[in-house]
Amino acid sequence: SNSEADEMAAALEAELNDFM
Amino acid sequence: TPSSSDVQLTEEAVRRYLIRKPMTTKDLLKKFQTKRTGLSSEQTVNVLAQILKRLNPERKNINEKMHFYLTE
């Protein structure tokens, strides 16, 4: 679903925020 | 018959996409949908995060959204 895609994108960006 | 995944989430696959054009996290996730890779949502996020950390792509904002890209 679209909301799942949004959640995954948010989770991925959160993972990367520590790094960037 | 065993279900076979037709898409693999690998560093090489991500690299090829990011060389072709800048992509957001959502664009990348669309390329590696769980139903096509056979991975769980959590696995997809974790693996993609690791790959992006290794590739360390350039970033730029397009239409106010952060995009990753790589140059050859």
Side-chain angles (χ1 to χ4, degrees):
Chain A
S1 72
N2 200 40
S3 69
E4 192 187 6
D6 286 336
E7 275 178 30
M8 287 174 70
L12 179 56
E13 280 160 29
E15 282 269 334
L16 293 171
N17 274 342
D18 299 334
F19 169 73
M20 287 172 189
Chain B
T1 50
S3 66
S4 61
S5 51
D6 57 353
V7 171
Q8 286 196 330
L9 175 47
T10 62
E11 183 168 328
E12 181 55 24
V14 173
R15 201 178 67 80
R16 266 187 273 118
Y17 280 126
L18 294 182
I19 284 173
R20 204 178 301 159
K21 65 170 189 164
M23 299 179 98
T24 65
T25 52
K26 221 170 160 178
D27 294 333
L28 282 168
L29 288 165
K30 255 184 236 165
K31 297 293 185 188
F32 301 103
Q33 290 177 55
T34 55
K35 66 185 173 194
R36 302 194 65 192
T37 61
L39 299 177
S40 69
S41 299
E42 195 180 349
Q43 284 173 321
T44 301
V45 167
N46 289 339
V47 172
L48 201 44
Q50 282 171 27
I51 289 172
L52 288 170
K53 287 175 189 178
R54 270 203 303 273
L55 288 174
N56 193 20
E58 303 291 331
R59 296 155 201 124
K60 68 175 166 187
N61 282 318
I62 302 171
N63 298 327
E64 295 172 28
K65 283 183 186 166
M66 203 255 291
H67 288 64
F68 298 110
Y69 68 100
L70 288 168
T71 52
E72 278 188 279

